[in-house]
Amino acid sequence: MNFKKEIGKIGEEEFAKIVSDIKQAAQLAQSQNVSLHLEFHQGTYTDTTESAKRLIEEIDEPNVYLYWQPLAYTSKEERLEQIKELSAYISNVHVFQWDSEFKRYPLADGKNEWNDYINQVQTLSSNKHYFLLEFMKDNSIDQFEEDAVVFKEILA
């Protein structure tokens, strides 16, 4: 499956319209002391480091940020590089463990990996961060509770 919808693959006119719309929304939000957070996510205009960075920089509003999450089609090393490149723009992080086929696993299976991601986010970005657990294996409440315990261990 190819979920990439890179900005570089859309026309400049469409890109300019997206930037204009988000910029307008950001300015309206700022007038109410609200920030906007775009999700770094496959199948969107922020599905690569380059496209996310270009979009945020073109918007150029102080209240526009990114939610970071691991893209299914990238390696751990690529993800750490994404965090490094996007650190100035990352606000919040979506936490889950899955593979390139979107098969969900217990967070414990990626504990070391997530320890590295979270350390990198907290070290490189001066923004305040919130972490959201999502995509539990089997959509299970019990799995959520287990993942929460593991996540608390990672943060400790």
Side-chain angles (χ1 to χ4, degrees):
M1 288 189 243
N2 183 6
F3 288 94
K4 289 186 178 183
K5 187 174 187 175
E6 299 171 27
I7 285 179
K9 303 242 190 318
I10 65 170
E12 288 302 313
E13 188 174 312
E14 184 180 355
F15 175 70
K17 174 77 169 121
I18 292 164
V19 168
S20 175
D21 288 349
I22 297 171
K23 190 177 212 39
Q24 181 180 17
Q27 291 167 353
L28 290 169
Q30 182 66 30
S31 72
Q32 300 299 311
N33 202 30
V34 172
S35 57
L36 301 181
H37 302 258
L38 308 175
E39 192 169 2
F40 184 69
H41 196 285
Q42 55 263 357
T44 72
Y45 295 113
T46 58
D47 66 355
T48 67
T49 304
E50 298 77 18
S51 64
K53 193 171 186 178
R54 179 176 177 211
L55 183 62
I56 293 288
E57 288 176 353
E58 291 279 336
I59 293 166
D60 192 28
E61 294 293 337
N63 62 327
V64 178
Y65 301 93
L66 285 173
Y67 284 176
W68 182 84
Q69 66 182 32
L71 301 177
Y73 46 81
T74 57
S75 67
K76 176 184 175 184
E77 292 73 25
E78 290 171 308
R79 293 168 183 172
L80 289 169
E81 186 62 28
Q82 290 164 357
I83 294 168
K84 180 180 174 185
E85 291 293 317
L86 298 171
S87 63
Y89 313 112
I90 295 172
S91 59
N92 302 325
V93 177
H94 292 178
V95 179
F96 52 85
Q97 189 65 28
W98 65 7
D99 64 19
S100 62
E101 300 298 317
F102 305 100
K103 183 176 179 190
R104 300 173 185 186
Y105 297 92
L107 188 59
D109 289 4
K111 185 175 180 179
N112 292 334
E113 193 173 317
W114 273 101
N115 187 58
D116 292 345
Y117 299 151
I118 290 167
N119 284 338
Q120 181 125 331
V121 165
Q122 292 179 326
T123 300
L124 296 177
S125 176
S126 60
N127 298 327
K128 183 175 183 176
H129 302 101
Y130 293 97
F131 300 92
L132 170 73
L133 287 171
E134 65 177 350
F135 302 130
M136 304 308 119
K137 182 179 184 212
D138 302 323
N139 292 326
S140 162
I141 299 287
D142 291 337
Q143 186 62 61
F144 171 76
E145 291 171 352
E146 289 177 31
D147 287 357
V149 168
V150 169
F151 191 62
K152 285 179 184 178
E153 291 170 3
I154 293 169
L155 291 176

Short mmCIF file of all heavy atoms in Angstrom, two decimals, residues 105-108 133 135-150:
data_model
loop_
_atom_site.label_atom_id
_atom_site.label_comp_id
_atom_site.label_asym_id
_atom_site.label_seq_id
_atom_site.Cartn_x
_atom_site.Cartn_y
_atom_site.Cartn_z
N TYR A 105 0.58 -4.01 17.87
CA TYR A 105 1.29 -4.82 18.85
C TYR A 105 1.23 -4.13 20.21
O TYR A 105 1.01 -2.93 20.30
CB TYR A 105 2.76 -4.99 18.45
CG TYR A 105 2.93 -5.73 17.15
CD1 TYR A 105 3.02 -5.04 15.95
CD2 TYR A 105 2.98 -7.11 17.12
CE1 TYR A 105 3.16 -5.71 14.74
CE2 TYR A 105 3.12 -7.80 15.93
CZ TYR A 105 3.21 -7.09 14.74
OH TYR A 105 3.35 -7.76 13.55
N PRO A 106 1.49 -4.89 21.27
CA PRO A 106 1.60 -4.25 22.58
C PRO A 106 2.75 -3.24 22.58
O PRO A 106 3.78 -3.46 21.94
CB PRO A 106 1.91 -5.42 23.53
CG PRO A 106 1.44 -6.64 22.80
CD PRO A 106 1.63 -6.35 21.35
N LEU A 107 2.59 -2.15 23.30
CA LEU A 107 3.64 -1.13 23.37
C LEU A 107 4.93 -1.73 23.92
O LEU A 107 6.03 -1.28 23.55
CB LEU A 107 3.18 0.05 24.23
CG LEU A 107 4.10 1.26 24.24
CD1 LEU A 107 4.29 1.82 22.83
CD2 LEU A 107 3.54 2.33 25.17
N ALA A 108 4.82 -2.74 24.76
CA ALA A 108 6.02 -3.39 25.32
C ALA A 108 6.94 -3.90 24.22
O ALA A 108 8.17 -3.92 24.39
CB ALA A 108 5.62 -4.53 26.25
N LEU A 133 -1.70 7.83 23.86
CA LEU A 133 -1.71 6.41 23.50
C LEU A 133 -2.88 6.15 22.57
O LEU A 133 -4.01 6.56 22.84
CB LEU A 133 -1.87 5.54 24.75
CG LEU A 133 -0.67 5.43 25.66
CD1 LEU A 133 -1.06 4.70 26.95
CD2 LEU A 133 0.46 4.69 24.98
N PHE A 135 -4.33 3.32 19.10
CA PHE A 135 -4.20 2.09 18.29
C PHE A 135 -3.75 0.89 19.12
O PHE A 135 -2.70 0.31 18.90
CB PHE A 135 -3.25 2.29 17.11
CG PHE A 135 -3.65 3.38 16.18
CD1 PHE A 135 -2.74 4.34 15.79
CD2 PHE A 135 -4.94 3.46 15.69
CE1 PHE A 135 -3.11 5.37 14.92
CE2 PHE A 135 -5.32 4.47 14.83
CZ PHE A 135 -4.39 5.42 14.44
N MET A 136 -4.56 0.50 20.07
CA MET A 136 -4.25 -0.66 20.89
C MET A 136 -4.44 -1.95 20.10
O MET A 136 -5.32 -2.04 19.24
CB MET A 136 -5.20 -0.74 22.10
CG MET A 136 -5.25 0.45 23.00
SD MET A 136 -3.69 1.02 23.58
CE MET A 136 -3.70 2.67 22.91
N LYS A 137 -3.64 -2.93 20.42
CA LYS A 137 -3.80 -4.25 19.83
C LYS A 137 -5.22 -4.75 20.13
O LYS A 137 -5.66 -4.69 21.28
CB LYS A 137 -2.76 -5.21 20.39
CG LYS A 137 -2.87 -6.59 19.78
CD LYS A 137 -1.81 -7.53 20.32
CE LYS A 137 -1.97 -8.81 19.55
NZ LYS A 137 -1.64 -9.97 20.29
N ASP A 138 -5.92 -5.17 19.12
CA ASP A 138 -7.28 -5.71 19.22
C ASP A 138 -8.29 -4.70 19.80
O ASP A 138 -9.36 -5.09 20.26
CB ASP A 138 -7.32 -7.00 20.06
CG ASP A 138 -6.43 -8.08 19.50
OD1 ASP A 138 -6.34 -8.20 18.25
OD2 ASP A 138 -5.81 -8.82 20.29
N ASN A 139 -7.93 -3.41 19.80
CA ASN A 139 -8.79 -2.37 20.38
C ASN A 139 -9.24 -2.73 21.79
O ASN A 139 -10.36 -2.44 22.20
CB ASN A 139 -10.02 -2.11 19.49
CG ASN A 139 -9.64 -1.47 18.18
OD1 ASN A 139 -8.71 -0.68 18.11
ND2 ASN A 139 -10.36 -1.81 17.14
N SER A 140 -8.34 -3.33 22.52
CA SER A 140 -8.66 -3.89 23.83
C SER A 140 -8.41 -2.90 24.97
O SER A 140 -7.34 -2.28 25.04
CB SER A 140 -7.79 -5.14 24.04
OG SER A 140 -7.71 -5.50 25.39
N ILE A 141 -9.37 -2.79 25.87
CA ILE A 141 -9.21 -1.98 27.09
C ILE A 141 -8.07 -2.55 27.93
O ILE A 141 -7.25 -1.80 28.47
CB ILE A 141 -10.52 -1.96 27.91
CG1 ILE A 141 -11.64 -1.33 27.12
CG2 ILE A 141 -10.31 -1.25 29.24
CD1 ILE A 141 -11.57 0.16 26.94
N ASP A 142 -8.02 -3.88 28.05
CA ASP A 142 -6.94 -4.50 28.81
C ASP A 142 -5.58 -4.15 28.22
O ASP A 142 -4.63 -3.87 28.95
CB ASP A 142 -7.11 -6.02 28.86
CG ASP A 142 -8.30 -6.46 29.70
OD1 ASP A 142 -8.74 -5.67 30.58
OD2 ASP A 142 -8.82 -7.57 29.48
N GLN A 143 -5.49 -4.15 26.88
CA GLN A 143 -4.23 -3.80 26.23
C GLN A 143 -3.89 -2.33 26.49
O GLN A 143 -2.73 -1.99 26.71
CB GLN A 143 -4.29 -4.06 24.73
CG GLN A 143 -2.96 -3.86 24.03
CD GLN A 143 -1.90 -4.81 24.53
OE1 GLN A 143 -2.05 -6.02 24.43
NE2 GLN A 143 -0.83 -4.29 25.10
N PHE A 144 -4.90 -1.48 26.48
CA PHE A 144 -4.66 -0.07 26.79
C PHE A 144 -4.06 0.07 28.19
O PHE A 144 -3.09 0.82 28.39
CB PHE A 144 -5.97 0.73 26.71
CG PHE A 144 -5.83 2.14 27.21
CD1 PHE A 144 -5.19 3.10 26.44
CD2 PHE A 144 -6.30 2.48 28.47
CE1 PHE A 144 -5.03 4.40 26.93
CE2 PHE A 144 -6.15 3.77 28.95
CZ PHE A 144 -5.52 4.73 28.18
N GLU A 145 -4.61 -0.64 29.14
CA GLU A 145 -4.11 -0.57 30.52
C GLU A 145 -2.67 -1.08 30.60
O GLU A 145 -1.83 -0.48 31.28
CB GLU A 145 -5.04 -1.33 31.46
CG GLU A 145 -6.38 -0.63 31.62
CD GLU A 145 -7.42 -1.44 32.37
OE1 GLU A 145 -7.19 -2.65 32.66
OE2 GLU A 145 -8.49 -0.87 32.68
N GLU A 146 -2.37 -2.16 29.88
CA GLU A 146 -1.00 -2.68 29.85
C GLU A 146 -0.06 -1.68 29.20
O GLU A 146 1.05 -1.44 29.68
CB GLU A 146 -0.95 -4.01 29.10
CG GLU A 146 -1.59 -5.17 29.82
CD GLU A 146 -1.58 -6.45 28.98
OE1 GLU A 146 -0.65 -6.65 28.17
OE2 GLU A 146 -2.53 -7.25 29.15
N ASP A 147 -0.50 -1.10 28.08
CA ASP A 147 0.33 -0.11 27.37
C ASP A 147 0.57 1.12 28.24
O ASP A 147 1.66 1.70 28.22
CB ASP A 147 -0.32 0.30 26.05
CG ASP A 147 -0.23 -0.78 24.98
OD1 ASP A 147 0.39 -1.83 25.22
OD2 ASP A 147 -0.78 -0.54 23.88
N ALA A 148 -0.43 1.53 29.01
CA ALA A 148 -0.27 2.68 29.90
C ALA A 148 0.80 2.42 30.95
O ALA A 148 1.61 3.31 31.26
CB ALA A 148 -1.61 3.03 30.56
N VAL A 149 0.83 1.20 31.48
CA VAL A 149 1.86 0.84 32.46
C VAL A 149 3.24 0.91 31.81
O VAL A 149 4.18 1.49 32.37
CB VAL A 149 1.59 -0.57 33.05
CG1 VAL A 149 2.79 -1.07 33.84
CG2 VAL A 149 0.34 -0.55 33.91
N VAL A 150 3.36 0.36 30.61
CA VAL A 150 4.63 0.38 29.89
C VAL A 150 5.04 1.82 29.58
O VAL A 150 6.20 2.20 29.76
CB VAL A 150 4.55 -0.45 28.58
CG1 VAL A 150 5.76 -0.24 27.70
CG2 VAL A 150 4.37 -1.92 28.91
#
